[in-house]
Amino acid sequence: MNSITPTEDYWTGYDDYPDYNNSPGTSKVSAPPCKQDDIYGFAKMFSPVVYSLVFILAVVGNVLVLCVIRRYKSSQNGGACAFSLTDTFLLHLAISDLLLALTLPLFAVQWTHEWVFGWAVCKVSGALFSLNRYSGILFLACISFDRYLAIVHAISSGWKRNTCHAQIACASIWVVCLGLSGVDFAFTQVSKIPIGGNQEMAMCQVWFTENPAQWQVAMQSVSVILGFCLPLLIMLYCYIHIFKSLCNASRRQKRKSLRLIISLVSVFVLCWAPYNCFQLADSLQKLGLVKGGCQFGRVVDMGIVITESVGLSHCALNPLLYGFVGVKFRRELIQMCRELLGQRGLLRMKDLRERKLRKMTGSFSSAESENTSYSVMV
């Protein structure tokens, strides 16, 4: 949880910037703090609405993804290692996004009133927020790499695309992200902070008592590198080579694939690039490389509040991008809904029509069909 709330009190100049928590024994030059009334006033109105909306959409979408994957896996009658690689990553992605969404109501309540859930819940929710933000983005990179192996190296990568290997990769990602979230667990606490005038507000945040600027710059650097730059490079590399390999496909197939590839990369960049840019600007200010004073700090704080909410909306968009764009996924979802409504006869007729239609239109490509026919995603 790097920036659930605006950054610490920014001051008129970085040279006059005191220790973050006024640690005893730290020499500092006194300087008048910048006013933050407008920052907290805006966050109290903006954040609860966005968090609540993202929570509802993310829970509904990712629960549907989990239900469809479970139904599809049961119909395949296979063990854990018989599960599709794509569906393995999609399953972990949905779990990660769902857990991330479940923390949002707590922070929505925090902005509406203040943190009222106690010290233990603060630490756990802060660690869960960080854990699932990192893991969700890294699982997106894994899905991109799996598509790259399935399409670009369809024949030679058969031995590499083993589902048990995917389970090991997912476990490794969880362990790495758990280690990263350990910092949040260790330093997250509930503290009273001034929000203007004589008012104080109990906030659940990461607080560093020693060398706060250095710690925060380090954490923001990790967030930018592991949470944006590295996954983006993987996605761009994979999808550029995927598109090159599709040049031999029909014009219609190529156009549909291009739209999907552009949408995947564009949504990821649009959701997380602004937040990481403001994180970078905040780090430059802490390092003293930018001295914009109160106005610059106010813009950075306001930008972090807005762009973090935009980034969090990605966990609600993932089910649409990686699930509902798939014809097979939509078919499984429709089947599940109709079975719940008892329309089995109509469902069988629909299946026959869809099978005939698929025979007429053909497959995406021979290599793609061969390597993803057991995935509910495509």
Side-chain angles (χ1 to χ4, degrees):
M1 184 180 58
N2 295 322
S3 298
I4 267 292
T5 57
T7 57
E8 69 281 355
D9 293 347
Y10 46 85
W11 301 70
T12 53
Y14 192 87
D15 292 335
D16 297 327
Y17 188 85
D19 184 75
Y20 181 37
N21 285 329
N22 298 327
S23 302
T26 303
S27 61
K28 52 184 177 287
V29 179
S30 178
C34 300
K35 294 181 179 180
Q36 295 193 86
D37 305 39
D38 54 343
I39 303 294
Y40 284 100
F42 172 78
K44 285 173 71 69
M45 293 185 298
F46 177 78
S47 297
V49 175
V50 176
Y51 288 176
S52 300
L53 182 61
V54 172
F55 166 74
I56 295 172
L57 295 177
V59 168
V60 172
N62 287 288
V63 166
L64 286 176
V65 170
L66 293 175
C67 291
V68 170
I69 291 177
R70 181 180 181 276
R71 182 186 184 278
Y72 187 79
K73 181 180 179 181
S74 299
S75 67
Q76 300 301 309
N77 296 320
C81 287
F83 204 22
S84 162
L85 268 77
T86 303
D87 294 341
T88 299
F89 293 127
L90 186 62
L91 173 66
H92 286 266
L93 174 63
I95 293 173
S96 176
D97 287 341
L98 184 59
L99 291 176
L100 175 61
L102 292 178
T103 66
L104 297 182
L106 302 178
F107 296 108
V109 172
Q110 170 177 263
W111 280 116
T112 303
H113 180 56
E114 62 178 357
W115 188 265
V116 296
F117 304 105
W119 172 82
V121 177
C122 173
K123 281 189 169 293
V124 172
S125 59
L128 277 176
F129 181 91
S130 179
L131 167 69
N132 293 291
R133 191 178 80 82
Y134 282 120
S135 61
I137 293 174
L138 292 177
F139 285 132
L140 293 178
C142 287
I143 292 177
S144 304
F145 186 66
D146 176 57
R147 295 297 84 215
Y148 167 76
L149 291 179
I151 300 174
V152 180
H153 301 287
I155 299 177
S156 61
S157 67
W159 66 273
K160 302 175 186 177
R161 301 184 66 246
N162 182 284
T163 311
C164 289
H165 294 165
Q167 297 286 4
I168 295 174
C170 291
S172 300
I173 289 176
W174 284 115
V175 170
V176 170
C177 295
L178 185 63
L180 293 174
S181 66
V183 177
D184 294 78
F185 184 84
F187 292 99
T188 298
Q189 57 181 297
V190 181
S191 300
K192 291 281 188 177
I193 61 173
I195 59 174
N198 296 323
Q199 295 181 335
E200 289 185 337
M201 186 177 183
M203 303 290 288
C204 175
Q205 280 187 292
V206 176
W207 301 94
F208 298 110
T209 57
E210 296 182 2
N211 300 320
Q214 291 85 343
W215 269 100
Q216 290 191 359
V217 169
M219 291 302 298
Q220 287 172 342
S221 299
V222 171
S223 175
V224 171
I225 294 173
L226 289 183
F228 182 73
C229 293
L230 179 61
L232 179 61
L233 289 176
I234 294 175
M235 293 174 68
L236 288 176
Y237 176 85
C238 294
Y239 287 131
I240 288 174
H241 284 78
I242 286 174
F243 179 67
K244 288 181 179 179
S245 70
L246 294 175
C247 291
N248 295 327
S250 68
R251 181 176 300 177
R252 180 182 177 185
Q253 291 169 339
K254 180 179 177 180
R255 188 166 55 248
K256 290 173 62 178
S257 302
L258 178 61
R259 285 199 301 265
L260 176 59
I261 291 171
I262 292 177
S263 66
L264 294 176
V265 178
S266 299
V267 170
F268 176 77
V269 172
L270 290 175
C271 284
W272 283 114
Y275 173 71
N276 284 275
C277 288
F278 279 104
Q279 287 275 79
L280 180 60
D282 190 46
S283 297
L284 293 176
Q285 185 186 32
K286 290 183 175 70
L287 292 173
L289 300 177
V290 176
K291 299 180 181 180
C294 286
Q295 186 60 35
F296 181 81
R298 184 177 292 108
V299 171
V300 171
D301 276 358
M302 190 77 75
I304 287 179
V305 172
I306 297 174
T307 57
E308 184 180 48
S309 299
V310 174
L312 292 174
S313 67
H314 199 237
C315 69
L317 296 174
N318 281 336
L320 297 176
L321 293 175
Y322 289 88
F324 295 105
V325 295
V327 175
K328 191 182 295 184
F329 186 95
R330 291 198 302 270
R331 184 171 67 250
E332 290 290 328
L333 180 61
I334 293 173
Q335 289 177 349
M336 182 179 67
C337 293
R338 287 180 173 174
E339 286 180 359
L340 292 175
L341 296 175
Q343 301 179 1
R344 297 180 182 274
L346 183 61
L347 178 64
R348 284 193 291 269
M349 295 177 60
K350 178 72 173 180
D351 286 342
L352 291 175
R353 288 197 298 269
E354 288 180 347
R355 289 175 183 175
K356 291 180 180 179
L357 181 62
R358 288 197 301 275
K359 290 180 180 179
M360 294 175 61
T361 57
S363 61
F364 180 75
S365 70
S366 59
E368 172 74 353
S369 176
E370 180 181 356
N371 286 277
T372 62
S373 59
Y374 295 104
S375 172
V376 71
M377 179 176 155
V378 293

